[in-house]
Amino acid sequence: MKWIISAVLVVLLVIAGIVFFNYYWSFGEGVKSGTLNFVTYKGYVFKTYEGRIIQAGLKGNASGTIAVPEFDFSIEDSRIGDSLMRCTGREVELHYTEYKNSLPWRGMQRYIVDSIMSVR
């Protein structure tokens, strides 16, 4: 009986570790800048702020076409989301935290903006 309880506890700890590593552990962080294209507040069950920055420069891809680099992100803090909604079309620098996977209540993206560095 003790062996079964120990095995179940080990399995639960491993599952908890995997969930933490994939959804809650901060994979990286940084700053992105560019022109704020949009910020929306949307969702069926979990309403989240979602946005996009158009970054300067062009890049080519394998098919030979030219693409404009974009940075899609989510925002957890409603104050940051409301502030950025009023900055559409302006140059912004945003600090973000990157996670390995997204969660419905955190947003649709893996990149979560946690502060506004500057708005020009």
Side-chain angles (χ1 to χ4, degrees):
M1 186 65 170
K2 282 188 175 185
W3 181 83
I4 293 173
I5 292 173
S6 297
V8 169
L9 286 176
V10 168
V11 168
L12 288 176
L13 283 173
V14 168
I15 290 171
I18 291 170
V19 168
F20 176 78
F21 180 73
N22 281 311
Y23 295 99
Y24 292 99
W25 181 66
S26 171
F27 181 70
E29 63 180 77
V31 175
K32 292 273 189 175
S33 65
T35 304
L36 186 61
N37 189 1
F38 67 83
V39 174
T40 60
Y41 184 64
K42 63 181 179 179
Y44 293 110
V45 177
F46 300 104
K47 297 279 189 190
T48 59
Y49 290 91
E50 307 294 327
R52 175 178 294 153
I53 288 178
I54 306 296
Q55 297 176 285
L58 301 173
K59 66 178 184 178
N61 59 23
S63 65
T65 60
I66 295 176
V68 177
E70 298 174 345
F71 175 65
D72 293 325
F73 58 89
S74 296
I75 307 165
E76 283 187 299
D77 188 344
S78 61
R79 291 176 295 170
I80 295 173
D82 290 336
S83 295
L84 285 176
M85 280 186 149
R86 293 187 295 275
C87 296
T88 302
R90 297 173 72 182
E91 291 290 319
V92 295
E93 282 185 10
L94 304 175
H95 183 271
Y96 67 91
T97 302
E98 180 182 0
Y99 296 92
K100 289 183 63 64
N101 293 299
S102 64
L103 289 168
W105 53 87
R106 190 167 57 199
M108 294 172 26
Q109 306 300 325
R110 297 179 340 173
Y111 302 99
I112 309 298
V113 168
D114 51 22
S115 66
I116 301 170
M117 305 291 287
S118 70
V119 177
R120 296 181 289 277

